[in-house]
Amino acid sequence: MTTRLPWRSAASADPVPVLAAAQRVADDLMDGLAGPRTRHAAHGLRRLFGVPGLGLTDLSGSLIWSGRPAADDVVISALDEVLHSETPVSEPGLLALPLHVHDELAGVLLVTEGKTAVARQAAELVVHALERGRLEASAEQAAEAELRALRAEISPHFVYNALTVISSLVRSDPDRARDLMLDFAEYTRYSLARHGEYTMVAEEFRAIETYLALQRAVLGERLRVQVRVAPEVLAVAVPYLVLEPLVENAIRHGIEPRSEAGFIQVQGMAEGNDCVISVEDDGLGMDPARAAAILAGRGDDGGVGLANVDRRLRSVYGPWYGLTVETEVGAGTRVVVRVPRFQPGVLP
């Protein structure tokens, strides 16, 4: 005899409401069993599986019920046994199932007067939702860690040189020293302060212009720059801190090691539905194979910023976007950023 589960019976008639209800339950559990929407998830599960009562608890023992609960002594006994044995427990009128998320016990599902098959299906739904929530939280934490890594890469050597130049101008040219100090304050504010996940191309260009002003003060005639950006891309939303690391790499690895003057050009333009930004220098360049290794995260420390930015862009926009590097030994380097001008969910 085949057991027909309540939610499967409904699905055979019209699966759309059932799938929508399951999705709502999964969304409610994104923050875990101790999240603010756990009670709403319990109500949704009970209705979805047609059981008289359903309870959810994390390892802290904070139990949330929907519908008719079982007797307290029965619940306490079942929870104690499940938490110690990590196996399903059946008590009179109650089923208690452990919820294992990535092979670790995360909580317990309780079902009153329900069939074992129904309870197992409900537990599977909860586990899948909790696993998805943890994966998304891990991805967000990784993105935040990469952003912190970019902030940490601000060169102490550059900071020291910039402050040394500013201090040397305090008496001889106080007006310029004041302007450079304001530029330095703006640069550190943008690079180190807490920001939202996304900003606008206009803000990124403002940050690199400030950085270049400081670098021109440090390097003097050794650095020539040109910055051009089309008005139609200024409002394009991009992940925070994606351009400054590219400009810093161009100076540190393309221009500074040379004895003669160098030129850096930064351009932003629209190409159809895409925003294309390029950072180009006429510096030392490198072997294309080494550039590919750096972009893949296998290069030396000097390329960590490039790999970091590329991963962040591709995680937001997909594999068709990100960075490309054009280079050759002695021929300089051109790094191109390509992102869509409009992307759902990406707002400054």
Side-chain angles (χ1 to χ4, degrees):
M1 178 178 176
T2 302
T3 301
R4 300 191 67 192
L5 305 181
W7 68 285
R8 285 184 174 170
S9 299
S12 63
D14 185 0
V16 175
V18 175
L19 292 174
Q23 183 62 56
R24 286 193 296 270
V25 169
D27 292 340
D28 288 336
L29 290 172
M30 287 294 290
D31 296 323
L33 293 171
R37 296 181 294 174
T38 303
R39 186 175 302 279
H40 194 269
H43 292 325
L45 279 168
R46 181 177 60 82
R47 290 191 296 267
L48 184 62
F49 288 91
V51 294
L54 184 142
L56 287 171
T57 180
D58 61 3
L59 298 183
S60 70
S62 178
L63 180 59
I64 293 176
W65 275 103
S66 173
R68 186 168 67 250
D72 289 345
D73 57 337
V74 176
V75 170
I76 292 172
S77 173
L79 281 178
D80 184 68
E81 187 172 347
V82 172
L83 292 175
H84 282 86
S85 67
E86 298 190 20
T87 58
V89 171
S90 177
E91 296 280 358
L94 178 70
L95 293 170
L97 285 83
L99 300 171
H100 289 99
V101 179
H102 298 142
D103 297 325
E104 293 183 357
L105 183 64
V108 180
L109 171 75
L110 302 167
V111 175
T112 61
E113 300 179 17
K115 294 182 172 60
T116 302
V118 173
R120 290 187 182 278
Q121 290 288 335
E124 287 181 13
L125 179 58
V126 173
V127 167
H128 290 325
L130 295 176
E131 288 179 344
R132 173 188 158 203
R134 286 195 182 182
L135 287 173
E136 293 196 8
S138 297
E140 291 177 0
Q141 291 168 2
E144 291 174 359
E146 289 192 330
L147 188 54
R148 288 194 297 270
L150 284 177
R151 290 187 175 116
E153 284 182 15
I154 294 174
S155 170
H157 179 65
F158 161 70
V159 172
Y160 173 80
N161 286 342
L163 292 176
T164 299
V165 169
I166 292 170
S167 65
S168 71
L169 294 171
V170 168
R171 291 191 177 183
S172 61
D173 193 347
D175 289 339
R176 189 179 181 214
R178 177 180 178 277
D179 290 341
L180 289 175
M181 182 57 72
L182 291 175
D183 285 339
F184 184 80
E186 177 65 19
Y187 168 74
T188 54
R189 180 198 68 80
Y190 191 80
S191 298
L192 300 177
R194 296 184 64 85
H195 290 259
E197 189 174 357
Y198 304 108
T199 185
M200 292 189 299
V201 166
E203 292 296 320
E204 287 285 287
F205 266 84
R206 186 175 294 115
I208 63 176
E209 286 179 332
T210 301
Y211 173 75
L212 287 170
L214 291 166
Q215 282 287 17
R216 283 198 299 270
V218 172
L219 298 175
E221 297 300 320
R222 290 181 55 203
L223 177 63
R224 294 177 293 113
V225 301
Q226 183 181 74
V227 178
R228 293 179 178 176
V229 57
E232 57 265 30
V233 301
L234 289 175
V236 172
V238 293
Y240 165 72
L241 206 63
V242 296
L243 298 185
E244 191 274 344
L246 310 184
V247 177
E248 185 172 351
N249 265 303
I251 293 176
R252 288 173 60 187
H253 305 295
I255 305 302
E256 282 187 344
R258 302 177 7 156
S259 57
E260 63 270 23
F263 177 65
I264 287 182
Q265 184 178 56
V266 185
Q267 294 188 14
M269 65 193 72
E271 288 188 3
N273 293 324
D274 291 345
C275 169
V276 178
I277 301 169
S278 63
V279 178
E280 184 172 1
D281 68 74
D282 63 352
L284 298 178
M286 69 182 78
D287 180 12
R290 179 176 172 233
I294 289 174
L295 200 57
R298 301 190 302 271
D300 52 37
D301 291 340
V304 170
L306 291 181
N308 191 323
V309 170
D310 186 56
R311 281 195 301 270
R312 292 172 63 215
L313 290 172
R314 293 180 189 277
S315 68
V316 172
Y317 301 111
W320 296 107
Y321 297 97
L323 300 184
T324 58
V325 179
E326 304 166 4
T327 188
E328 188 60 68
V329 176
T333 302
R334 181 171 184 259
V335 180
V336 179
V337 179
R338 181 178 294 273
V339 299
R341 293 171 63 187
F342 308 99
Q343 176 84 354
V346 179
L347 298 172

